[in-house]
């Protein structure tokens, strides 16, 4: 069973695998982020399909989403042959729920310059299996496979993958499948117990210096909590070839 089924030209219904971690009868935002990335890449009504590649995904989470269909609108904010800025908004009941602004760039040939000082991490085969359903509820968390090495609460390296398609029988790129897993980072090494303190994220921004290869997605993650109700989850992103970018999530920290 996939995460979403297309029920209209721009309407998508969640399946049970989208159930949320904070509240099981609301959608986990992670699959929605992947769906938005997919439509930015493929919406031919808004974009020309000119071979540009996504290099930044910047999501704003405007509110919760019930387990009901969402409507997604895509538009080009800044067209261009070399760079393009595209916006995609998921709405429910006429209210915006998640907004994505994505920068796309034309690929170039820089293979001789390839390199990064971002540290590599042990692969999933060298990382112990971990069951996140001991800490989290919901269909999405139950749908993924996680391997984690936690140094201490708030600091861990983990790998995640899913056997489920993002969208019915429609082909989806490795980037969109990866985007549909990134939001899980905020819950994989919490500094505090989620049944005692809520710390949902308001956004997620990922910068990618190369395209993900698919399969396992790795995160080298640090969670920081400030003194005035604000937190930050920061991750270096990996695939089987090594580091590929970074992501960050700002948190609103609420003792229960």
């Amino acid at each position: 069973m996939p995460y979403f089924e297309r029920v209209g030209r721009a309407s998508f219904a969640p399946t049970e695998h989208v159930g949320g971690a904070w509240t099981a009868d609301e959608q986990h935002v992670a699959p929605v982020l992947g769906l938005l990335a997919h439509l930015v890449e493929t919406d031919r009504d808004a974009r020309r399909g000119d071979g540009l590649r996504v290099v930044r995904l910047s999501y704003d989470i405007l509110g919760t989403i019930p387990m009901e269909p969402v409507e997604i609108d895509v538009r080009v904010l800044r067209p261009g042959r070399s760079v393009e800025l595209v916006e995609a908004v998921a709405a429910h009941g006429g209210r915006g729920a998640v907004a994505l602004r994505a920068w796309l760039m034309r690929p170039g040939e820089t293979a001789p310059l390839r390199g990064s000082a971002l540290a590599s991490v042990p692969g999933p085969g060298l990382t112990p299996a971990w069951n996140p359903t001991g800490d989290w509820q919901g269909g999405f968390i139950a749908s993924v496979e996680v391997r984690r090495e936690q140094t201490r609460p708030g600091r861990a390296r983990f790998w995640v993958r899913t056997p489920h398609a993002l969208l019915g029988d429609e082909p989806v790129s490795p980037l969109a499948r990866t985007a549909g897993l990134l939001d899980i980072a905020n819950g994989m090494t919490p500094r505090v117990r989620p049944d005692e303190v809520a710390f949902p994220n308001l956004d997620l921004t990922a910068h990618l210096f190369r395209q993900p290869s698919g399969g396992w997605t790795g995160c080298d993650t640090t969670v920081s909590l400030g003194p005035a109700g604000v937190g930050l989850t920061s991750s270096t992103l990996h695939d089987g070839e090594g580091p590929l970018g970074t992501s960050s999530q700002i948190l609103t920290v609420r003792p229960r």
Side-chain angles (χ1 to χ4, degrees):
M1 181 185 297
Y3 289 102
F4 288 97
E5 297 281 4
R6 188 187 289 267
V7 294
R9 187 194 69 79
S11 182
F12 305 87
T15 70
E16 64 186 43
H17 296 316
V18 184
W22 294 108
T23 305
D25 59 0
E26 295 174 351
Q27 293 188 36
H28 197 295
V29 76
V32 179
L33 305 192
L35 184 61
L36 288 168
H38 171 63
L39 293 180
V40 162
E41 288 188 300
T42 61
D43 192 311
R44 295 298 176 254
D45 294 333
R47 300 191 55 246
R48 298 189 302 271
D50 47 15
L52 302 183
R53 294 182 182 177
V54 173
V55 296
R56 190 205 70 177
L57 297 164
S58 185
Y59 299 92
D60 290 308
I61 301 168
L62 308 175
T64 59
I65 315 172
M67 290 289 287
E68 297 175 7
V70 294
E71 300 283 336
I72 296 181
D73 178 66
V74 181
R75 63 189 182 118
V76 178
L77 301 181
R78 192 276 191 194
R81 296 180 180 179
S82 298
V83 295
E84 190 168 73
L85 181 62
V86 182
E87 180 180 70
V89 178
H92 174 266
R95 176 183 62 86
V98 183
L100 163 64
R101 285 193 169 189
W103 275 109
L104 297 90
M105 292 176 57
R106 181 171 299 283
E109 180 50 60
T110 57
L113 306 177
R114 180 172 181 167
S116 173
L118 294 173
S120 297
V121 298
L126 300 174
T127 306
W130 179 64
N131 183 3
T133 61
D135 290 339
W136 298 102
Q137 63 178 330
F140 175 69
I141 296 298
S143 77
V144 299
E145 178 184 358
V146 178
R147 295 178 174 271
R148 186 186 74 166
E149 181 180 6
Q150 180 171 255
T151 306
R152 58 185 180 277
R155 185 73 182 95
R157 298 165 176 169
F158 72 89
W159 292 88
V160 58
R161 67 177 177 182
T162 176
H164 303 286
L166 179 63
L167 180 57
D169 295 327
E170 298 184 29
V172 173
S173 73
L175 180 136
R177 285 184 60 82
T178 298
L181 296 171
L182 296 182
D183 188 74
I184 203 173
N186 187 41
M188 294 298 96
T189 179
R191 290 186 62 87
V192 290
R193 289 181 53 86
D195 58 350
E196 297 176 353
V197 180
F199 44 92
N201 53 303
L202 303 179
D203 74 343
L204 185 149
T205 295
H207 292 93
L208 308 172
F209 60 84
R210 66 173 177 83
Q211 297 293 289
S213 61
W216 288 98
T217 295
C219 292
D220 188 354
T221 297
T222 301
V223 179
S224 304
L225 302 182
V230 180
L232 176 67
T233 296
S234 302
S235 301
T236 301
L237 305 177
H238 301 257
D239 63 9
E241 300 177 21
L244 61 92
T246 63
S247 72
S248 60
Q249 301 157 275
I250 200 70
L251 318 179
T252 174
V253 184
R254 307 167 182 168
R256 296 182 184 273

